[in-house]
């Protein structure tokens, strides 16, 4: 029996292009198809599987997604999301189109769509487990599998906002899909981010001191910074919440399994520290 066409995917269908031949996609019996016959399934959970060929291996697994959902539900990252939403919404038109590259469970995209009641959103991620959550994160947010490092399955100049929150970046594609007046909003950690946890778990992935310079060099041919906010605060976390915070990041692949047990980390205050920048296109 064909999967019902998700309303949010229907809302964003005009944005999508066939990843194989770049033709427009249409809905046909529970799948997306182009005129050349390339076909992409729509999962019963509501996301579309556009990623073809060799799949990336860096997507969040089931345990990471469950940890992310539990942690984000605490509201500990709400001030971080609020800053990203503020910078994105400040320059977005009323009926904006938002692309969230590396959307995870759709937490940040949903926050921006709540702020923009006439906007629509599209989240891309390699993790099908995360996309199951992203597809239900907001009634105006569609979700598709995609690797940010590949050319996006999107038409040129269709997005008013591109969100990139703690995610990989593809500056050339960000510029291609943005409208001339569009904004790219990038959120990345500072060296102080989760400092207390890094002190307890030396195996956690460290923030590269050269990260900001590498980001500047990568974006400079395509974008110029318009506004930057430093968001820094501390949150009280239980041991379980701290374990979820570590467990939802790439550090989960490096720390010991016992460190992520419910009693693996003591409770205490943890620093959240990030830079949020809105970029204009060049």
């Amino acid at each position: 029996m064909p999967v019902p066409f998700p309303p949010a995917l229907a809302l964003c269908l005009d944005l999508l292009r066939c990843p194989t031949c770049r033709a427009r996609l249409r809905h046909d019996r529970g799948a997306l198809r182009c005129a050349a016959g390339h076909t992409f399934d729509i999962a019963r959970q509501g996301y579309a599987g556009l990623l073809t060929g060799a799949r990336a291996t860096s997507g969040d697994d089931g345990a990471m997604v469950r940890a992310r959902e539990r942690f984000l539900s605490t509201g500990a990252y709400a001030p971080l999301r609020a800053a990203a939403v503020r910078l994105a919404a400040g320059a977005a038109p009323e009926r904006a189109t938002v692309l969230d590259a590396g959307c995870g469970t759709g937490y940040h995209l949903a926050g921006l769509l709540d702020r923009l009641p006439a906007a629509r959103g599209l989240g891309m991620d390699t993790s099908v487990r995360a996309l199951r959550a992203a597809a239900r994160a907001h009634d105006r947010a569609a979700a598709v599998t995609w690797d940010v490092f590949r050319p996006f399955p999107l038409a040129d100049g269709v997005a008013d906002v591109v969100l990139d929150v703690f995610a990989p970046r593809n500056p050339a594609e960000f510029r291609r899909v943005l409208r001339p007046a569009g904004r790219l909003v990038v959120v990345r950690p500072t060296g102080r981010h989760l400092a207390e946890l890094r002190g307890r778990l030396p195996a956690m992935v460290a923030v590269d001191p050269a990260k900001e310079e590498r980001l500047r060099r990568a974006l400079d041919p395509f974008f110029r910074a318009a506004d930057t906010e430093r968001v820094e605060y501390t949150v009280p976390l239980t041991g379980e919440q701290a374990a979820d915070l570590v467990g939802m990041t790439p550090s989960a692949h490096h720390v010991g399994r016992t460190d992520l047990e419910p009693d693996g980390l003591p409770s205490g205050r943890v620093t959240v520290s990030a830079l949020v920048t809105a970029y204009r296109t060049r």
Side-chain angles (χ1 to χ4, degrees):
M1 184 174 180
V3 175
F5 196 27
L9 193 57
L11 195 64
C12 294
L13 185 58
D14 63 302
L15 309 176
L16 300 176
R17 295 295 181 267
C18 174
T20 303
C21 68
R22 309 300 296 177
R24 289 179 177 270
L25 292 170
R26 60 184 174 84
H27 178 239
D28 182 21
R29 291 173 294 178
L32 298 180
R33 291 186 174 86
C34 72
H38 302 121
T39 302
F40 308 93
D41 291 337
I42 298 173
R44 59 182 176 81
Q45 294 89 354
Y47 65 88
L50 298 186
L51 189 57
T52 60
R55 292 182 177 267
T57 58
S58 59
D60 293 354
D61 61 24
M64 294 172 72
V65 170
R66 290 189 293 274
R68 183 179 300 275
E69 290 188 298
R70 288 192 299 266
F71 179 78
L72 293 177
S73 71
T74 68
Y77 269 13
L80 192 61
R81 179 171 74 169
V85 166
R86 185 165 54 249
L87 288 186
E94 182 180 354
R95 301 183 65 84
T97 295
V98 181
L99 172 67
D100 190 344
C103 65
T105 58
Y107 173 76
H108 297 281
L109 178 57
L112 181 52
L113 293 178
D114 281 343
R115 178 73 174 268
L116 300 171
R120 59 179 176 173
L122 177 68
M124 303 191 309
D125 205 284
T126 58
S127 170
V128 297
R129 293 171 179 85
L131 288 171
R132 291 170 185 169
R136 63 175 187 271
H138 199 281
D139 60 4
R140 286 179 276 117
V144 300
T145 57
W146 198 250
D147 183 346
V148 170
F149 293 117
R150 299 189 192 183
F152 297 170
L154 299 172
D156 295 348
V158 292
D160 298 289
V161 176
V162 172
L163 287 178
D164 185 276
V165 183
F166 295 156
R169 290 172 288 276
N170 187 335
E173 282 297 280
F174 290 168
R175 177 65 185 88
R176 181 183 68 80
V177 302
L178 272 169
R179 295 191 172 106
R183 293 289 188 276
L184 166 66
V185 177
V186 178
V187 182
R188 66 278 189 197
T190 76
R192 289 174 50 80
H193 188 54
L194 312 186
E196 297 82 1
L197 294 178
R198 296 181 198 283
R200 298 170 191 164
L201 299 173
M204 284 182 65
V205 177
V207 177
D208 183 355
K211 186 181 186 70
E212 282 302 299
E213 177 58 23
R214 289 191 292 105
L215 177 66
R216 187 194 65 78
R217 289 200 306 266
L219 294 182
D220 195 57
F222 308 97
F223 298 96
R224 56 186 177 88
D227 196 5
T228 296
E229 291 188 19
R230 184 184 183 102
V231 181
E232 187 166 301
Y233 56 96
T234 63
V235 290
L237 299 181
T238 65
E240 288 186 354
Q241 291 167 344
D244 280 339
L245 178 51
V246 177
M248 76 183 205
T249 72
S251 292
H253 299 299
H254 301 278
V255 301
R257 180 174 297 180
T258 56
D259 292 320
L260 298 181
E261 293 294 328
D263 298 325
L265 287 168
S267 59
R269 300 196 72 88
V270 173
T271 300
V272 176
S273 180
L275 294 173
V276 184
T277 301
Y279 295 88
R280 298 176 185 267
T281 61
R282 290 196 185 275

